[in-house]
Structure formats: structure tokens, C-alpha cells
Amino acid sequence: MKILVTGGCGFIGSHTIVDLLENGFEVVNIDNNVRSNAGALEGIEAITGVKVPHYQTDLCDLAATRKVFAEHPDIEGIVHFAAYKAVGESVEKPVLYYQNNLNSLANVLTCVEEFGVKHFIFSSSCSVYGNADELPVTEATPMKEAESPYAHTKQIGEGMIQHFAKVHPETSFVALRYFNPAGAHPSALIGEASFDKPTNLVPVITDTASGVREKMVVFGTDYNTRDGSCIRDYIYIMDLANAHTKSIQYLQSGKNKANYEVFNVGIGEGVTVLEAIRAFEKVTGISLNYELVDRRPGDVEAIYSNYKYAAEALNWTPKGSIEDIMQTAWQWQQKRPEWSFRSSAG
Ligand code: WQD
């Protein structure tokens, strides 16, 4: 079965392509490489032996997007990652986020309709819950106001798909609400190669440990949590990748209860920032230079998932621990290939 991955040169996209290939799927990739690196495909080929056909196409260009579908009329499924995802930037440049993230989705849905694609997996985010009142969040937890335009584009994206699904019973959809993806493929041939200076916790930790950064900060230790620092649900990237493969297989099997379903993809364990730092130090033997500072605006105090619904429905079992995340993230930091430092299509 041929799957089109959009944004397959990105962190989650590249790891998902590996998992899809290892589960017997054929993959075609679209990525405009504006914020990702085509070199990721070299890593995928080194791991799987497969040279994935790649189209450096902007999904906001409908004519160009249609051409890819026309060249591959046997595309039966789509995993749609392509989007901008920097929360802070989205606050500064909201129109850029609405234009890019929603136009691209609308164009892909247009092609789903015109080319009769059967299955569609949407990359959503736990940030659709906002500052949830109840923890752990379940799929039934009501969405509160989005904390950022980025999160808002994910809420709107889910809504676009829900309404599209209502008038396209012949196509089935799954939206996966990610918690905090982290770590790297055990080979260290692919990993998180962020387009600019990383702001997410795990790459900041490994940059600090390797000396790329002189020190790091912990944003806030006065939260109402067991050690005062924020709680998040860190999910090992290969577990997250497999959730996409399992979602395609779930839709292929016809076991889906409706043609639009949502799943939380986390591991249901809350880890504080200070606990994450200690896990890194324990696994690597490196002591980190960090300073305790004020809260970061926009951070929620705690969020972690109840992922049982996904585990049962998708027959999906996350295996990676916070230690596995830190171990593989550190290996990646030390061995990452040359291409991963180039910040463009190069
Ligand atoms: C985690 C915790 C920080 C950096 C975001 C998006 C989410 C998803 C993942 C796209 C927080 C603390 C961080 C640092 C710190 N992105 N921290 N010092 O904000 O939970 O989630 O990335 O899908 O949608 O919202 O991730 O890694 O930035 O922060 O103390 O130098 O680590 O305050 O508590 P976040 P994060």
C-alpha cells in the first residue's frame, strides 16, 4: 500500500517513514524543506535501504500538489505532518501560521477528494486542550481556548477534517494528538534536527551537555507540582512513529467506529522538568549547568495523557522511557551526520 507522507523530512515525519517502510508500506514524500532538511532522506535510506521518492513541493501551491498525486494515482493513504510548529513564533507571526498550516491542509484535502484517497492521518497536538482542568486528559476532555495561534491551527485543522469527513464517508480519518515527542532513532542516523536554535527541553538539554550552549534555564519552580517545575508527557519518537503506522493499519482493517476518530498519543506518565534533567544526568553521567528562572509565558503547569483508548483501539504499546529518550537524544547529539546541521534544503 502506497502512503504519501507530507513533511517527511521533519523530526516526526522522518521517524514515521522508517516505521512505515519497516512495516511493508511504500512511501512517497512531499516536503518543501523550508524548515527541514532533505538530508533526512539519506538517514532513512541508510536505515532501511529504501530511497524514498521526494517532491520538494509547497503544499500551499495546489497545482504543484495535484501534480504529485497525478504521478502517484495509487496513493491509498496520507500521513499529514507538514506545518509550522514553533509556539513562540506563532504568537509573533499569527498570519504566517494560519496561512501556511491551514492552506496546506485545505489543498491536501482537495486532493483527497479529487484522487479518492482512502485513509488520512492528521498530526494534531495536545496543545488543542489548552490549560486542561482535568488530568490526565482523555479524548473526551473538552478543548479550551488555544494558548497560541499554533495550537489554534491544530484545533481548526481538526474541525476542517471533521466537516470534510461528514461529506466523504468513503474516506476515513484519524487525528493523533501528540504530547511531547523526544529522543531519536537508535541508529542516530536520524533525529531532531531543528530548523533553528531549539527551544524544546530535550534538545536544549543535549545542546547544554555538548557545550553548544554554555548553560540552560528551568522555566519556573513555583508551580503547584511535586518539585515546582512543569509536568509534561514525553513520548519516545519511535513509539510516536509507530502510532501512525498502527493508525493506517487500523483504518485499513475497517475496525474504526466512525470515519473520523481522535487519539491521544502520550505515555500517560507526567515527568517534571527537574526529573527530566536528572534522568539525563543519570543516563549519561554528565552534570548539567542549569539555572532556575521565572516561568515562561504560555506554559501550562501540567499536562499528560490517558492514552489507553489509543492503546486498545490501535493495538499500540509505547515502550520508550524518559531514560530511553535521554540515551538516544544524547547519542544523536554526539553522532548526528553533517546534513543535520544544514538548516535548509541543502
Ligand atoms: C517542556 C517543558 C518548559 C525549555 C511544545 C509545544 C507542543 C509540541 C511540543 C509541537 C516546559 C520547560 C523548556 C527550556 C525549560 N510542539 N523548558 N527550559 O512547550 O511542552 O510543548 O513542544 O507539536 O505543541 O507546545 O515543550 O519542550 O518547549 O517545554 O524549563 O530551555 O520544559 O517550560 O515546562 P512544550 P518544551
Side-chain angles (χ1 to χ4, degrees), residues 87 125 127 150 180 199-201 204 217-219 230 232 234 273 296 299:
V87 172
S125 166
S127 57
Y150 157 78
N180 287 57
T199 60
N200 279 15
L201 180 65
V204 163
V217 295
V218 172
F219 290 119
C230 288
R232 292 290 183 276
Y234 297 96
V273 176
R296 180 174 70 173
D299 272 340

Side-chain angles (χ1 to χ4, degrees), residues 185-226:
H185 188 270
S187 67
L189 290 166
I190 53 174
E192 190 167 6
S194 69
F195 151 75
D196 52 7
K197 199 158 177 274
T199 60
N200 279 15
L201 180 65
V202 175
V204 163
I205 286 176
T206 55
D207 273 358
T208 306
S210 63
V212 168
R213 302 169 74 108
E214 195 260 328
K215 71 168 180 168
M216 64 175 284
V217 295
V218 172
F219 290 119
T221 49
D222 60 345
Y223 286 99
N224 181 23
T225 64
R226 50 187 176 268

